Amino acid sequence: MTGRTIVIPVNDSKQSSHCISWAIQHFIDPSDKITLVNMRPQPLLEQGPKAEEHKQLNKQSLSDSLHLLQTHAKQFGKPVVIQSLYGFPKSDFVTYLELVQPDMVLMGTRGIDRKPILGQGSVSNYILQHSSSPVLIVRDTSPNDS
């Protein structure tokens, strides 16, 4: 049997980590092909008076993103694809999904964005509403540490 293609967006939140742990324990089959994706902001322009500073910030952004992806990838105990992409977590991730057409998207949710403020709202809800691929939202039900 050929495995499913599963895309998991990741960030540095505990909800993202919980989603990966849950997926490994309850959902992922050995034959599944896993892609972890981290969306990061558009790079700063590397010209003008702050060109060198912007260049260093862009390098650090990429380095942080790759470190995050590699850390999560190790948990699977098998090869996974990691992708660090520039873009907006909502619209550009949906565009990415349209291009790769995975069998499933697995993602965590913070569960706090009930009232969008200034156009910002739940990324998971946006992906759920706009993705042509099935989306499984993994919610962390453990008590908050706050």
Side-chain angles (χ1 to χ4, degrees), residues 24-110:
I24 292 168
Q25 187 174 5
H26 300 288
F27 192 78
I28 303 295
D29 290 329
S31 61
D32 290 339
K33 297 173 194 108
I34 309 300
T35 300
L36 302 180
V37 179
N38 177 246
M39 300 295 290
R40 54 198 174 98
Q42 294 292 335
L44 299 168
L45 290 175
E46 295 180 2
Q47 55 188 337
K50 293 192 175 189
E52 194 56 38
E53 178 184 348
H54 288 180
K55 186 175 185 177
Q56 292 305 316
L57 289 170
N58 289 338
K59 281 184 182 179
Q60 187 62 48
S61 174
L62 176 59
S63 176
D64 291 348
S65 179
L66 292 175
H67 177 73
L68 173 74
L69 288 163
Q70 290 167 347
T71 299
H72 284 306
K74 289 177 186 175
Q75 297 177 55
F76 286 90
K78 69 176 197 170
V80 300
V81 175
I82 61 171
Q83 296 189 319
S84 178
L85 306 172
Y86 288 120
F88 297 104
K90 292 180 180 181
S91 57
D92 290 334
F93 185 67
V94 168
T95 300
Y96 168 81
L97 294 174
E98 290 171 4
L99 293 172
V100 299
Q101 298 183 345
D103 297 312
M104 176 70 67
V105 178
L106 278 156
M107 62 188 304
T109 182
R110 295 180 185 190

Side-chain angles (χ1 to χ4, degrees), residues 8-9 13-23 25-27 105-115 122 124-125 128 135-144:
I8 305 174
S13 71
K14 75 175 193 140
Q15 293 82 6
S16 186
S17 295
H18 173 75
C19 176
I20 290 172
S21 296
W22 183 91
Q25 187 174 5
H26 300 288
F27 192 78
V105 178
L106 278 156
M107 62 188 304
T109 182
R110 295 180 185 190
I112 57 173
D113 297 327
R114 295 187 184 215
K115 294 181 182 176
S122 171
S124 55
N125 187 50
L128 183 64
V135 178
L136 176 60
I137 305 293
V138 178
R139 183 161 184 157
D140 185 358
T141 57
S142 64
N144 288 340

